[in-house]
Amino acid sequence: MKIVKVIIGSLCLANSASAFAPTHCTTSTHRTSSSSLHADVAEAESDVASITTDPKEAVKLFGRLAEKYIMLDATAGMCCYSACSDCEYREPGGGYRMADQSSARPKWIPTYDHRAFGSGKEHTTKWNTDIFTEGPAVTKEQFVERVINMEFAPPLGGPYMAKSAADIEDESAAAALFDILAGEKEKLTRHRMGKEMKVLSGGEEGVTWNNFSTALGAK
């Protein structure tokens, strides 16, 4: 009988405590280092699900931000590329992990702002140089203006767009890209842009047209 009374008393105490609890709760947006990248990707896809962009307008942005060169894995540069049977730099599909890659046309938006290898190779991205010209953060207005003023080159992927036809008159796609990258923040930092690009790329070192067009709803 005493045990029953103790249990009932505990329940009453719990109910009394809950009466003083807030009627709402907040969810922390902080992610620990063990959070899965897949969860970030799923959240990003959910956030942009309602965005729809004309593919031609999206390719105008991609052709400004994408590059012909990207730096990948610094250790891969140690490979002799002689098809050794026990090579640690071989991919499961038979290819090699590469230190860097080049393309005839702009193909990737690197997820880093600047990268340097011990070999002496280094690369500063277009978006870092052309967008963050006066500091580590930009407003939406600054972002849109600077992206529009970046030089365009017909990229690899998306509908073909000649340079002469790539002027941006409708700023909505650039504004939507800012919202994707900055979230609810009033300013976009260099660090956050790289971080969000990494999410859009699915954890790869560069955002391809497929990643980019999906994020902007330009399919």
Side-chain angles (χ1 to χ4, degrees), residues 61 64 143-150 168 170-171 174:
L61 296 180
R64 283 167 164 77
F143 177 86
V144 170
E145 179 183 2
R146 292 172 189 176
V147 168
I148 288 175
N149 288 329
M150 290 176 73
I168 296 177
D170 183 353
E171 300 179 355

Side-chain angles (χ1 to χ4, degrees), residues 48-198:
V48 303
S50 61
I51 296 175
T52 301
T53 306
D54 183 333
K56 291 183 178 180
E57 294 302 317
V59 85
K60 289 179 183 180
L61 296 180
F62 189 70
R64 283 167 164 77
L65 296 165
E67 307 201 28
K68 297 179 181 180
Y69 176 75
I70 190 169
M71 294 179 73
L72 303 170
D73 184 348
T75 63
M78 300 165 60
C79 181
C80 66
Y81 303 109
S82 297
C84 304
S85 60
D86 59 347
C87 179
E88 62 181 297
Y89 304 108
R90 294 294 294 272
E91 298 284 4
Y96 291 94
R97 284 190 359 239
M98 307 295 290
D100 53 5
Q101 283 188 302
S102 296
S103 174
R105 289 160 60 185
K107 182 178 179 180
W108 311 274
I109 304 174
T111 61
Y112 56 85
D113 53 80
H114 176 83
R115 179 165 287 176
F117 290 165
S119 63
K121 285 186 176 182
E122 62 179 305
H123 179 220
T124 300
T125 61
K126 286 174 59 180
W127 63 260
N128 182 23
T129 301
D130 293 352
I131 296 176
F132 299 94
T133 58
E134 300 174 356
V138 291
T139 63
K140 187 172 187 176
E141 182 179 358
Q142 290 171 328
F143 177 86
V144 170
E145 179 183 2
R146 292 172 189 176
V147 168
I148 288 175
N149 288 329
M150 290 176 73
E151 184 176 358
F152 173 88
L156 191 63
Y160 179 78
M161 178 74 61
K163 184 176 182 178
S164 60
D167 289 346
I168 296 177
E169 298 179 357
D170 183 353
E171 300 179 355
S172 59
L177 180 59
F178 177 90
D179 292 338
I180 291 169
L181 298 173
E184 298 180 354
K185 303 290 185 181
E186 292 184 0
K187 290 188 175 183
L188 173 65
T189 64
R190 179 187 291 115
H191 173 75
R192 183 180 177 94
M193 182 162 176
K195 178 183 175 183
E196 294 303 318
M197 284 291 184
K198 189 78 169 181

Side-chain angles (χ1 to χ4, degrees), residues 26-48:
T26 58
T27 302
S28 172
T29 57
H30 175 72
R31 291 185 175 85
T32 64
S33 58
S34 61
S35 295
S36 169
L37 178 63
H38 294 295
D40 287 341
V41 173
E43 182 178 347
E45 290 176 347
S46 176
D47 290 342
V48 303

